[in-house]
Amino acid sequence: MDNREWVRQAICEIEADYKRSSDTHLLKVAVPGFQYVDLYFKDESTHPTGSLKHRLARSLFLYGLCNGSINEGTTIIEASSGSTAISEAYFAKLIGLDFVAVVPENTAEEKLEKIAFYGGTFHKVPPSDLYRAAEDLAMKLGGVYMDQFTFAERATDWRGNNNIAQSIFDQMRYEKNSEPAWVVVSAGTGGTSATIGRYIRYRGLSTRLCVADPEGSVFYEAFMHRDYSVTSTKPSIIEGIGRPRVEPSFVPAVIDRMIKVPDAASLACIHWLQSLLDRRCGGSTGCNMYAALEIMCELEARKAPASVVSVLCDGGERYANSYYSQRWLREKGLHLEPYTEQLNTLMEKPVWSRPETDEASTN
């Protein structure tokens, strides 16, 4: 088989896999206390590999195949905190390629097990060595470094092709407040916010885009001060989002607002959300939810009907030994109680008031 025929068949395999999967659900979440504002979650945990990163991995593979960098026998290498690696391992297996993930040494064991389940292998490295180690490994193995942090925003077709933005707005078309006042997401590569922000402008929508940023990440500071050289030595404990440098796929010009979210607030949110959804979610969903609630309180005060859409990025089963472990929370020195109290108070009176010890700022 010549290489062009192999690429054609690989693309057919990926497209067939996509056709076998229905679109992800849009969940309407009833938040007690809010009379005017409706909240929706785009549930990306229902993808075959269990997270929002399934969309990105599919786009990256199609991008590499059509650009000629992925061919028969190519070894795929990625730098990832876990979820992207899981999804890329899935697609590599689908088309018969070897996959190696370079992951931070603190990556959840549940994620590493999933990478292995799909036939991938992994190398643990200190978070500060992630990029260099992936590049070096690709050179050593003669493989392709997918580099999600650079190619996320360009590999995704932001005009359509059932990207997450098109899917959200198509599903919202049938809701009472069909054009959301805000979409709230977080950023890892920055690809999701770039896709949604571009799509909003492309379609001439009035919806505004907010990006929630966890502790240890520099996206918020870069956005506020327009300084894209800023770096951090403190890694984010909210896996999948937040970066120690401004990634090439982060496009601040399409973002209307950013909100800095304390780690304890993100994790208090997922424990609180469990009572609303009867399920566990990952930390990035908690980060999204906390920022969405702040915006919902502002909209509620205006007493005008509105909707807010956010993203349920992945399920909480991957974090049983971290975010849902009281021992782990104590070891990290995370005190969720002030934020849990804040969230419970919101259900009685939806007025935003962060705990006094919270020094995080918003814009």
Side-chain angles (χ1 to χ4, degrees):
M1 183 189 306
D2 65 33
N3 186 67
R4 192 175 184 121
E5 177 60 18
W6 182 89
V7 168
R8 187 191 70 79
Q9 290 191 15
I11 292 171
C12 285
E13 286 283 357
I14 292 172
E15 291 298 284
D17 177 78
Y18 165 67
K19 295 298 183 182
R20 288 193 293 270
S21 302
S22 61
D23 199 2
T24 59
H25 298 295
L26 184 70
L27 306 177
K28 187 174 183 180
V29 183
V31 184
F34 288 85
Q35 300 180 41
Y36 299 96
V37 184
D38 294 326
L39 174 66
Y40 297 84
F41 265 133
K42 182 65 169 164
D43 185 4
E44 294 292 282
S45 72
T46 58
H47 283 295
T49 53
S51 82
L52 168 65
K53 299 300 185 179
H54 192 85
R55 292 183 190 269
L56 173 58
R58 174 178 177 267
S59 294
L60 287 168
F61 269 86
L62 290 174
Y63 187 77
L65 287 163
C66 294
N67 279 332
S69 59
I70 298 177
N71 297 293
E72 185 175 11
T74 300
T75 299
I76 306 297
I77 295 94
E78 182 61 282
S80 168
S81 64
S83 289
T84 301
I86 293 168
S87 298
E88 289 187 5
Y90 172 90
F91 283 105
K93 182 178 181 180
L94 186 68
I95 60 175
L97 300 180
D98 291 335
F99 176 78
V100 186
V102 178
V103 301
E105 56 195 358
N106 59 348
T107 299
E109 286 299 319
E110 294 88 345
K111 290 186 175 182
L112 301 179
E113 290 170 3
K114 280 289 188 181
I115 294 169
F117 174 78
Y118 290 120
T121 58
F122 53 84
H123 289 270
K124 291 184 179 181
V125 299
S128 59
D129 292 343
L130 193 68
Y131 310 100
R132 180 189 57 78
E135 292 172 355
D136 290 349
L137 186 61
M139 185 173 296
K140 177 182 177 181
L141 298 177
V144 170
Y145 172 32
M146 297 289 267
D147 193 1
Q148 57 168 323
F149 302 107
T150 295
F151 294 105
E153 59 88 10
R154 65 191 73 172
T156 302
D157 183 357
W158 49 267
R159 298 170 189 84
N161 192 22
N162 196 39
N163 65 42
I164 189 170
Q166 182 183 35
S167 182
I168 286 172
F169 285 97
D170 282 353
Q171 290 174 318
M172 282 297 297
R173 188 181 305 162
Y174 301 97
E175 300 301 319
K176 181 174 61 176
N177 301 299
S178 58
E179 189 168 316
W182 287 87
V183 174
V184 181
V185 299
S186 43
T189 62
T192 298
S193 59
T195 297
I196 294 173
R198 288 165 169 167
Y199 187 86
I200 287 170
R201 284 156 178 76
Y202 180 57
R203 294 299 181 189
L205 303 171
S206 61
T207 302
R208 300 178 74 188
L209 175 64
C210 174
V211 172
D213 202 34
E215 288 181 45
S217 176
V218 300
F219 289 136
Y220 175 83
E221 286 72 20
F223 176 82
M224 293 297 295
H225 305 294
R226 293 300 191 263
D227 178 6
Y228 307 125
S229 65
V230 61
T231 60
S232 171
T233 57
K234 177 188 175 184
S236 170
I237 68 167
I238 308 299
E239 291 187 25
I241 60 172
R243 300 301 305 160
R245 70 177 192 184
V246 180
E247 302 295 352
S249 284
F250 181 66
V251 184
V254 302
I255 299 168
D256 297 294
R257 176 179 181 179
M258 290 196 69
I259 294 177
K260 196 75 172 179
V261 179
D263 291 338
S266 295
L267 301 185
C269 249
I270 60 174
H271 288 266
W272 178 75
L273 257 178
Q274 192 172 355
S275 65
L276 297 183
L277 300 177
D278 192 29
R279 59 187 290 189
R280 289 180 170 185
C281 304
S284 53
T285 301
C287 187
N288 291 344
M289 181 68 183
Y290 194 74
L293 283 169
E294 180 170 347
I295 288 174
M296 288 171 65
C297 286
E298 295 169 2
L299 294 171
E300 185 75 11
R302 300 174 192 171
K303 297 184 177 181
S307 60
V308 173
V309 178
S310 192
V311 178
L312 195 164
C313 304
D314 63 357
E317 65 279 356
R318 297 176 177 181
Y319 309 99
N321 296 315
S322 54
Y323 305 151
Y324 290 94
S325 164
Q326 291 301 316
R327 178 180 176 180
W328 185 90
L329 293 171
R330 287 194 299 271
E331 289 174 351
K332 296 295 182 182
L334 292 164
H335 303 287
L336 311 190
E337 295 80 6
Y339 296 101
T340 301
E341 182 179 349
Q342 177 199 11
L343 295 168
N344 289 334
T345 300
L346 280 181
M347 292 195 290
E348 300 174 5
K349 187 177 181 181
V351 176
W352 191 253
S353 178
R354 288 198 184 210
E356 292 182 4
T357 55
D358 182 359
E359 298 180 355
S361 57
T362 68
N363 183 51

